[in-house]
Amino acid sequence: LKMKLLQFFYLAGLILLVGCVQNTGTSTVPKNLDGQANVNMASLIGQKFEMVELDGKPVVLQGYKLPTLSFGADARIFGQVCNVFNGSAKIEKGILKADGMSSTRMFCSDPKLNGLEFLFFNMANEGAEINIMGGELSLEQGERVLRYKRVYGVE
C-alpha cells in the first residue's frame, strides 16, 4: 500500500509538472529526412524511431525496451512507451499533432516510464514542433524535448 501511494504521488507530481509547461511559440523550420525544409507525414511513412533522450539526457530504462514511435500510411502514428498506442496524426507548419489516439490502459510499474508516456501524450495532444535531421527525430514543446533515433526506414 505504501508503494502504491508513493507511485500515485510521484505520478501526480509529474502531471502537475508537465501541466506547467507552456509552448513558447518559437519555431525553427523543420527538416525532412534529407535535411530539407517541410517535414510532412508522407515523408515519414515506414519510419520507426526509438527514444534516446529526454531534455538532453539519455533515456536509460532497467528491464524495459526504449519507447518507440512509427509512422504508417494514411497519416497513422504508432508506438509504445508502457502502453501501445495508435491514431491519426498531422503536421501543419512544423507542428505534429495526434489528438484522440487510442491506447491500451496499463499502469507501468516504473514511474519514469509513466512520466515519459504522459509527456508524449501531452505533446501529441497539444502539438509539438517536429524536426528530423540525420536519422534523428525530435519533438519539442516549450523546454521539453524528446529525441529519437531512427531504427529503420528510408536511408
Side-chain angles (χ1 to χ4, degrees), residues 90-108:
K90 62 184 176 184
I91 298 174
E92 292 179 352
K93 298 181 181 178
I95 303 296
L96 173 71
K97 192 167 186 173
D99 53 357
M101 289 188 297
S102 62
S103 170
T104 55
R105 303 273 186 219
M106 298 183 322
F107 182 78
C108 302

Side-chain angles (χ1 to χ4, degrees), residues 59-146:
V59 173
V60 179
L61 302 171
Q62 301 295 327
Y64 292 95
K65 293 180 181 177
L66 290 172
T68 61
L69 184 60
S70 302
F71 298 87
D74 299 325
R76 300 296 294 175
I77 188 171
F78 305 90
Q80 181 172 356
V81 179
C82 221
N83 290 288
V84 176
F85 60 85
N86 72 78
S88 296
K90 62 184 176 184
I91 298 174
E92 292 179 352
K93 298 181 181 178
I95 303 296
L96 173 71
K97 192 167 186 173
D99 53 357
M101 289 188 297
S102 62
S103 170
T104 55
R105 303 273 186 219
M106 298 183 322
F107 182 78
C108 302
S109 60
D110 184 335
K112 189 177 194 178
L113 271 178
N114 279 321
L116 283 173
E117 187 167 84
F118 183 80
L119 177 60
F120 173 79
F121 284 128
N122 188 58
M123 285 181 157
N125 189 49
E126 293 180 7
E129 181 181 324
I130 183 171
N131 288 293
I132 302 171
M133 183 67 78
E136 289 190 353
L137 177 145
S138 66
L139 298 175
E140 301 178 34
Q141 185 184 66
E143 298 295 317
R144 306 308 308 263
V145 180
L146 299 177

Side-chain angles (χ1 to χ4, degrees), residues 142-155:
E143 298 295 317
R144 306 308 308 263
V145 180
L146 299 177
R147 190 166 316 280
Y148 297 79
K149 71 174 180 173
R150 185 172 55 222
V151 291
Y152 70 74
V154 177
E155 289 298 323

